[in-house]
Amino acid sequence: MKIAVISDIHANIYALINLLEDIDNEKVDTIICLGDLVGYGPHPNEVISMIRRRHILCIKGNYDSSVVDNEYSYIRETPINSFSLPWTVNELREENRIYLQNLPSTLSLKICNRNFLFVHGSPNKINEYLFENGDNTNEIMKSLNEDVLICAHTHLPSTKDFNGKIYINCGSVGKPKIGRPNSTYCILNINNKDGMKVQIKEIPYSFNRIIKDMTMLNFPSPLIDSFQTGSE
């Protein structure tokens, strides 16, 4: 089975369209999204509509949850979020807010006798950062019941073997933090003969289009810069 795992689109429709074209070329069996469809970017309704139209299996991210709550419940109260949260709440159509509200928080699958757990942040908290060399990541992987943990939220793709338990972070489609304005996602090739192979892909896109949209809408300069540079 061939699975594409995507996350952290953050209302960037141009990055999503470009990435889905690459995924279609990969001829995957299914796509799984780990959340944060909205926040930061200017196209929340368009992104949700595309995810729904493509019938992409999706779980809820921390920014999705805060937008549903209209509170800083799962995001930090920063100058950028003080703009982005109310802007997204006001922009989002009610049907799309209800869609986000009803998304599950985790997904568990058994494929080829391996148990997979898909989360946005961590198995413990939707907004917990799991970096591959973090002490909290090591503790979570020690106690993990499943064979493979797939997460996101950090916007930094990586994979690591923890004594036979596999940690995978698929990175970010729409707002990377890799120092480049490119989308990242991962492909899982799983079969009984070869086990599992993990490929992390980095895909460039025409980021100037979203920069133009954000500028026209008077988004804060630091937020625009983060999309352009691929950094916080």
Side-chain angles (χ1 to χ4, degrees):
M1 189 173 191
K2 193 174 185 181
I3 302 173
V5 186
I6 67 176
S7 190
D8 294 275
I9 303 163
H10 285 297
N12 186 340
I13 191 63
Y14 305 124
L16 178 60
I17 290 171
N18 184 71
L19 191 87
L20 289 174
E21 289 177 358
D22 190 80
I23 288 174
D24 288 342
N25 290 334
E26 289 283 352
K27 294 180 170 53
V28 302
D29 296 299
T30 193
I31 305 171
I32 296 174
C33 178
L34 303 187
D36 271 9
L37 279 62
V38 302
Y40 301 127
H43 309 120
N45 293 304
E46 294 87 344
V47 164
I48 293 174
S49 293
M50 178 156 287
I51 292 292
R52 296 178 72 179
R53 188 162 60 247
R54 292 285 300 257
H55 304 290
I56 293 172
L57 194 58
C58 191
I59 64 175
K60 190 184 299 182
N62 65 301
Y63 219 114
D64 303 328
S65 299
S66 285
V67 166
V68 168
D69 295 345
N70 193 15
E71 293 181 2
Y72 296 98
S73 43
Y74 300 97
I75 61 173
R76 293 171 293 167
E77 191 170 351
T78 65
I80 283 178
N81 284 335
S82 70
F83 169 85
S84 179
L85 178 62
W87 189 93
T88 303
V89 169
N90 290 332
E91 183 75 9
L92 196 66
R93 292 197 293 266
E94 178 63 13
E95 65 179 290
N96 288 331
R97 189 195 69 81
I98 293 171
Y99 170 79
L100 293 179
Q101 184 178 34
N102 290 324
L103 289 175
S105 297
T106 64
L107 173 67
S108 297
L109 295 176
K110 187 168 187 176
I111 307 168
C112 296
N113 296 316
R114 284 193 178 205
N115 293 309
F116 293 77
L117 177 62
F118 297 83
V119 301
H120 179 74
S122 83
N124 299 333
K125 295 180 182 177
I126 197 171
N127 60 349
E128 181 177 9
Y129 289 97
L130 293 185
F131 298 102
E132 62 176 311
N133 295 320
D135 292 338
N136 62 328
T137 306
N138 187 51
E139 290 303 311
I140 283 172
M141 295 306 294
K142 278 183 182 178
S143 61
L144 187 72
N145 292 322
E146 292 81 6
D147 303 298
V148 184
L149 176 67
I150 302 99
C151 62
H153 186 49
T154 67
H155 299 205
L156 294 168
S158 57
T159 181
K160 187 174 181 179
D161 188 322
F162 287 81
N163 296 317
K165 303 276 186 177
I166 307 301
Y167 155 94
I168 300 166
N169 190 310
C170 66
S172 171
V173 173
K175 193 178 183 296
K177 296 180 183 178
I178 56 175
R180 298 174 297 282
N182 297 337
S183 303
T184 60
Y185 76 104
C186 77
I187 292 178
L188 310 178
N189 268 299
I190 312 160
N191 59 64
N192 288 318
K193 180 182 177 182
D194 302 318
M196 180 180 70
K197 294 180 180 178
V198 181
Q199 179 187 10
I200 291 174
K201 297 196 71 175
E202 181 177 334
I203 309 295
Y205 76 102
S206 300
F207 64 89
N208 286 327
R209 297 178 69 187
I210 195 168
I211 299 304
K212 181 180 179 181
D213 289 358
M214 295 169 78
T215 302
M216 289 176 62
L217 290 165
N218 295 314
F219 276 40
S221 294
L223 180 55
I224 296 173
D225 290 344
S226 69
F227 279 77
Q228 189 165 7
T229 61
S231 58
E232 187 70 70

